[in-house]
Amino acid sequence: MQLRSDRFFPTFKESITVIAALAVWLGVTAVCVGFRTEHLWLALLLAVLFFATVPTRKLVVALLPFIVFGISYDWMNIVHNYEVNPVDIRGIYETEKSLFGIAGADGVALTPNEFFALHRSAVMDFLGGVFYLCWVPVPILFGLYLYFGRQEKMYLHFALVFLLVNFIGFAGYYIHPAAPPWYVALHGFDFNVATPGEVAGLGAFDEMTGLGIFHGLYGRNANVFAAVPSLHSAYTLVAFIYSLRAKCPTWIQVALAVITLGIWFTAVYTSHHYIIDVSLGILCSFLGYALFEYGFMRIPAFGRFISRYAAYIAPRS
């Protein structure tokens, strides 16, 4: 029997579901977050891809975990984490110094971020920018590699764990709002909700290349108090874990390992995260993986859902 996803036109139920979902997304975003032109263009793109052809419809459905990730990240602006719990500024700074402090030239302990701020390297400034640009594009490209490599089930495991890790991290943002290291360096320990996003050490990459990428990214950051955990440190780690499970070529596994280690170092080197943040981001990865593989996948109904999902998105033979 032919799968519904192989029909040239989507079913009526599928069509209504997609149109309703896009309308709800645009409506909630416009009312609660703030409508931007790119929201409309993205909605139109998704609609066109879904209705245009069978392969593009399968791709849109396959990419749902990443689409939900993007929407949920944007929707965190509906209620900011600093409105839910007090922001930790001094406490995490002092804890970082007590655990990982480095003696300065005058004998006064420095956080690793403060130490690196005094010992910059042009090579690391450049490489750090390259590593940090990989944090979302590389996992998505890895997912597409699995998908188009006809590993639909493995792709779904990876994509859904990626989404689950995000939800765990987002929960951490609300449970324990915290300022990044650069905030202390620039503003001290006083809380100021109007503080704009800051490129911090990544600004050196923009100056070297003249691209202004990080100024554009962090200039639009609506909440600077979401440093714990460091999800930058989690994403490519999840991809690396699944590159081992999928038995990918060695060069892919090595590349993901190097990028992951590079992001961990850059997060601290550029004063975007403390070592504590990075460690908790790593913990989120393993927690999300364990919950999914040893929790959800042992629920028969969930396993059947994954099988149906994989069959729906599978490219034609």
Side-chain angles (χ1 to χ4, degrees):
M1 181 181 293
Q2 189 180 40
L3 292 170
R4 286 184 175 183
S5 61
D6 286 324
R7 296 176 178 175
F8 185 80
F9 294 107
T11 66
F12 178 76
K13 182 178 179 181
E14 290 170 338
S15 301
I16 292 298
T17 300
V18 167
I19 292 171
L22 290 174
V24 169
W25 166 47
L26 291 176
V28 172
T29 300
V31 172
C32 302
V33 178
F35 186 77
R36 300 193 301 271
T37 306
E38 58 259 39
H39 289 132
L40 179 59
W41 284 115
L42 181 56
L44 289 173
L45 175 63
L46 292 174
V48 168
L49 290 175
F50 185 82
F51 289 103
T53 67
V54 174
T56 56
R57 178 162 72 249
K58 289 173 179 279
L59 180 60
V60 168
V61 176
L63 290 175
L64 274 177
F66 294 102
I67 295 169
V68 172
F69 151 66
I71 293 173
S72 59
Y73 181 84
D74 198 28
W75 278 8
M76 283 196 295
N77 288 304
I78 295 175
V79 179
H80 294 101
N81 63 342
Y82 51 76
E83 299 175 288
V84 176
N85 279 309
V87 176
D88 182 358
I89 302 176
R90 182 185 293 272
I92 193 168
Y93 170 85
E94 296 294 350
T95 303
E96 177 83 359
K97 186 180 288 188
S98 67
L99 292 175
F100 306 107
I102 302 171
D106 56 1
V108 176
L110 303 171
T111 65
N113 315 98
E114 293 169 332
F115 175 82
F116 286 127
L118 297 173
H119 300 83
R120 306 291 301 181
S121 162
V123 172
M124 276 312 307
D125 287 342
F126 178 77
L127 289 178
V130 173
F131 285 133
Y132 237 52
L133 287 174
C134 294
W135 74 297
V136 169
V138 165
I140 292 177
L141 288 174
F142 173 71
L144 292 174
Y145 166 81
L146 292 178
Y147 176 69
F148 288 111
R150 302 304 299 270
Q151 298 191 66
E152 297 87 12
K153 256 191 179 175
M154 188 63 69
Y155 161 76
L156 282 179
H157 281 235
F158 162 68
L160 291 171
V161 169
F162 178 90
L163 180 60
L164 179 57
V165 167
N166 272 287
F167 287 158
I168 294 171
F170 294 168
Y173 293 165
Y174 285 90
I175 293 169
H176 191 89
W182 62 258
Y183 183 93
V184 175
L186 295 178
H187 308 289
F189 299 112
D190 294 328
F191 172 67
N192 181 1
V193 70
T195 303
E198 171 62 44
V199 294
L202 292 169
F205 179 85
D206 280 357
E207 293 174 8
M208 279 184 183
T209 61
L211 297 176
I213 296 174
F214 291 109
H215 279 86
L217 289 173
Y218 286 97
R220 297 176 62 175
N221 185 9
N223 184 5
V224 304
F225 305 109
V228 177
S230 166
L231 289 178
H232 280 85
S233 304
Y235 294 162
T236 55
L237 175 57
V238 175
F240 173 69
I241 291 171
Y242 278 95
S243 74
L244 299 178
R245 282 187 56 119
K247 298 181 180 178
C248 293
T250 303
W251 72 267
I252 292 180
Q253 297 173 352
V254 171
L256 287 171
V258 170
I259 291 170
T260 299
L261 292 172
I263 289 175
W264 292 353
F265 177 80
T266 302
V268 178
Y269 175 78
T270 59
S271 286
H272 276 273
H273 288 285
Y274 295 111
I275 293 177
I276 293 172
D277 310 344
V278 172
S279 301
L280 290 173
I282 295 169
L283 179 61
C284 282
S285 297
F286 287 114
L287 178 58
Y289 173 80
L291 282 173
F292 186 88
E293 297 293 351
Y294 301 106
F296 298 154
M297 285 306 298
R298 294 192 176 182
I299 302 172
F302 188 80
R304 291 192 295 271
F305 162 73
I306 293 297
S307 295
R308 291 195 301 270
Y309 196 163
Y312 187 98
I313 66 174
R316 287 175 173 174
S317 301

